[in-house]
């Protein structure tokens, strides 16, 4: 029987800081079919970077604590809110929400709950070995995460791999007359351990040895911001390294870049590479997590091993040295983003999983073949 009112789908986030998971949650919440689903965002910490856009899109926001860090007051607020206003469907995102959200939902008998794994270290950080059974099913954004969950004993039919989506009408290549005239290597990434900015900064020394006009732009915020900036300030090529804070609209940075780069040691399926590809940029990145599924070597970019500054530096320098190859890769990257990573496809697949969970149905095993191959 069809529901008379839309199902309340509560997304539990750590905060609304500028970040990949927050951006994907926002895009999903804004695009869900409101005749079927009524999205809400609950936040454990009071950081509001994306709040204006969420509010403008009509998404109700609940701040479970007045502090910018998760603490006892955040968890007490979550316990009270779950008890007072249990959702029809509960979807925690990132590590802390997945841990405490699932534990509290289980203790209060909330059903259904959808666990999520979105980053390369998520399964370990979220203690999935012990907590995987506290949700009805999982959504992951990269095939390696699905394989890891299944290897831990999670039934394949309870794991759905849904790649991130990118708004290819918003992230558009600049006109030909606006091509960058400088050799900007752009890293738009949170300053945290997973992104390994140290390797990137060291690799840039190899880049400058071959391309003396190159510039490295670091865009982001995060817990390691000070240490990363210190590393950059101590680099022999520090005069060519710039640092900028995160921004809700990264398009001006992409428009001025020649190459998008990530030096990560752990990843899910990084939004920043999808956005770069949609804007016609070739990618130089490490072959970790879901990146090899996203980047086609020698077609849309180049891959190299993690924690190898020389290999990454040579990869970047090679792209900067060959404009024709770089432009051809950028065109192919745009085509791949449009063909395989549309926002519409991402939203529709989430809606299917949400509807199955609300109906108490298991996802068809065929839907998870990609995770098992």
């Amino acid at each position: 029987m069809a529901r008379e009112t839309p199902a309340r789908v509560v997304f539990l986030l750590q905060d609304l800081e500028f970040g990949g998971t927050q951006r994907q949650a926002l895009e999903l919440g804004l695009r869900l079919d409101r005749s079927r689903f009524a999205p809400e965002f609950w936040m454990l910490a009071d950081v509001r970077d994306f709040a204006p856009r969420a509010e403008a899109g009509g998404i109700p926001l609940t701040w479970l604590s007045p502090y910018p860090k998760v603490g006892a007051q955040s968890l007490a607020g979550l316990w009270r809110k779950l008890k007072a206003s249990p959702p029809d469907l509960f979807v925690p995102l990132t590590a802390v929400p997945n841990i405490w959200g699932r534990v509290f939902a289980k203790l209060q008998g909330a059903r259904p709950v959808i666990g999520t794994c979105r980053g390369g270290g998520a399964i370990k950080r979220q203690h999935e070995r012990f907590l995987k059974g506290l949700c009805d099913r999982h959504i992951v954004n990269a095939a390696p995460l699905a394989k890891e969950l299944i290897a831990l004993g999670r039934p394949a039919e309870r794991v759905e791999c849904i790649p991130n989506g990118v708004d290819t009408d918003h992230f558009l290549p600049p006109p030909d007359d606006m091509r960058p005239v400088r050799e900007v290597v752009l890293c738009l990434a949170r300053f945290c351990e997973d992104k390994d900015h140290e390797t990137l900064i060291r690799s840039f020394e190899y880049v400058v040895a071959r391309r003396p006009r190159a510039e490295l732009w670091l865009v982001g915020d995060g817990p390691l911001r000070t240490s990363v900036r210190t590393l950059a300030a101590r680099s022999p090529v520090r005069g060519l390294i710039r640092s900028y804070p995160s921004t809700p609209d990264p398009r001006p940075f992409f428009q001025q870049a020649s190459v998008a780069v990530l030096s990560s040691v752990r990843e899910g399926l990084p939004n920043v590479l999808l956005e770069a590809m949609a804007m016609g940029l070739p990618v130089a990145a490490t072959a970790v997590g879901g990146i090899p599924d996203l980047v086609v070597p020698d077609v849309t970019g180049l891959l190299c091993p993690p924690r190898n500054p020389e290999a990454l530096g040579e990869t970047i320098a090679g792209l900067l040295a060959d404009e024709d190859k770089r432009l051809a890769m950028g065109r192919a990257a745009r085509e791949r983003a449009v063909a395989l990573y549309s926002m519409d496809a991402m939203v529709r697949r989430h809606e299917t999983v949400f509807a199955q969970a609300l109906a108490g149905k298991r996802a068809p095993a065929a839907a998870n073949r990609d995770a098992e191959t």
Side-chain angles (χ1 to χ4, degrees):
M1 180 180 297
R3 297 181 63 95
E4 294 182 1
T5 59
R8 286 180 59 236
V9 180
V10 169
F11 296 89
L12 177 66
L13 296 107
Q14 182 156 322
D15 51 49
L16 281 182
E17 185 178 24
F18 293 138
T21 294
Q22 293 90 333
R23 185 183 294 275
Q24 284 290 309
L26 179 59
E27 298 293 351
L28 175 58
L30 292 173
R31 289 171 169 80
L32 283 173
D33 181 350
R34 297 298 178 88
S35 70
R36 302 168 62 200
F37 307 102
E40 299 178 24
F41 288 177
W42 297 357
M43 276 65 61
L44 293 169
D46 193 353
V47 182
R48 305 192 178 211
D49 293 345
F50 278 125
R53 189 171 173 213
E55 290 169 340
I59 299 176
L61 306 180
T62 297
W63 309 95
L64 300 169
S65 164
Y67 301 108
K69 300 290 184 182
V70 177
Q73 188 164 347
S74 309
L75 302 182
L78 174 59
W79 178 266
R80 290 193 298 268
K81 186 67 175 178
L82 271 173
K83 188 173 183 179
S85 183
D88 296 314
L89 183 65
F90 191 50
V91 187
L93 296 158
T94 69
V96 175
N98 264 284
I99 294 169
W100 291 104
R102 285 186 286 177
V103 169
F104 285 2
K106 177 69 172 179
L107 290 173
Q108 294 191 13
R111 280 291 187 259
V113 177
I114 295 180
T116 60
C117 294
R118 301 186 52 84
I123 290 177
K124 182 177 180 180
R125 292 188 185 112
Q126 295 172 191
H127 307 294
E128 293 293 347
R129 181 178 297 277
F130 308 105
L131 303 183
K132 60 184 182 295
L134 297 186
C135 55
D136 294 80
R137 62 193 69 205
H138 277 83
I139 292 177
V140 302
N141 65 349
L145 294 170
K147 292 178 181 178
E148 195 170 347
L149 276 173
I150 293 168
L152 288 176
R154 193 68 168 142
E157 66 270 17
R158 292 190 179 272
V159 181
E160 183 75 12
C161 182
I162 304 178
N164 293 348
V166 61
D167 187 344
T168 54
D169 293 327
H170 182 73
F171 290 96
L172 291 165
D176 289 344
D177 60 359
M178 289 182 60
R179 284 180 183 170
V181 296
R182 299 152 74 179
E183 295 185 356
V184 173
V185 178
L186 176 66
C187 178
L188 204 158
R190 181 172 168 78
F191 294 134
C192 62
E193 182 182 350
D194 286 359
K195 306 301 180 181
D196 192 15
H197 284 82
E198 180 178 357
T199 289
L200 175 58
I201 291 169
R202 290 174 57 200
S203 78
F204 192 60
E205 297 175 29
Y206 294 94
V207 176
V208 173
R210 289 182 52 185
R211 309 295 298 179
R213 295 178 56 249
E215 301 174 30
L216 175 62
W217 291 8
L218 306 175
V219 181
D221 292 299
L224 299 185
R225 177 176 55 186
T226 300
S227 62
V228 170
R229 289 180 175 175
T230 300
L231 285 171
R234 293 175 178 174
S235 169
V237 294
R238 56 188 173 274
L240 297 169
I241 303 176
R242 298 186 180 189
S243 179
Y244 301 91
S246 292
T247 171
D249 186 1
R251 290 177 298 175
F253 288 105
F254 288 126
Q255 289 170 349
Q256 297 181 69
S258 296
V259 177
V261 61
L262 272 187
S263 52
S264 304
V265 293
R266 288 175 290 272
E267 274 294 352
L269 193 77
N271 290 314
V272 65
L273 294 190
L274 278 174
E275 294 165 356
M277 290 168 61
M279 293 197 67
L281 278 177
V283 169
T286 48
V288 299
I291 293 178
D293 296 328
L294 182 60
V295 179
V296 182
D298 295 315
V299 177
T300 66
L302 297 174
L303 300 177
C304 64
R307 301 192 192 279
N308 190 326
E310 182 174 3
L312 181 59
E314 293 297 323
T315 295
I316 297 168
L319 285 173
L320 292 176
D322 192 335
E323 183 178 17
D324 289 341
K325 182 177 183 179
R326 197 169 66 246
L327 293 176
M329 284 185 170
R331 289 190 293 270
R334 166 74 184 176
E335 292 171 0
R336 183 170 175 81
V338 170
L340 299 180
Y341 297 99
S342 76
M343 196 67 73
D344 184 66
M346 182 272 288
V347 174
R348 299 291 85 78
R349 290 186 66 184
H350 274 87
E351 289 180 341
T352 297
V353 175
F354 291 174
Q356 290 170 343
L358 288 163
K361 297 178 181 177
R362 291 190 179 187
N368 297 284
R369 286 174 185 162
D370 289 344
E372 298 173 347
T373 57

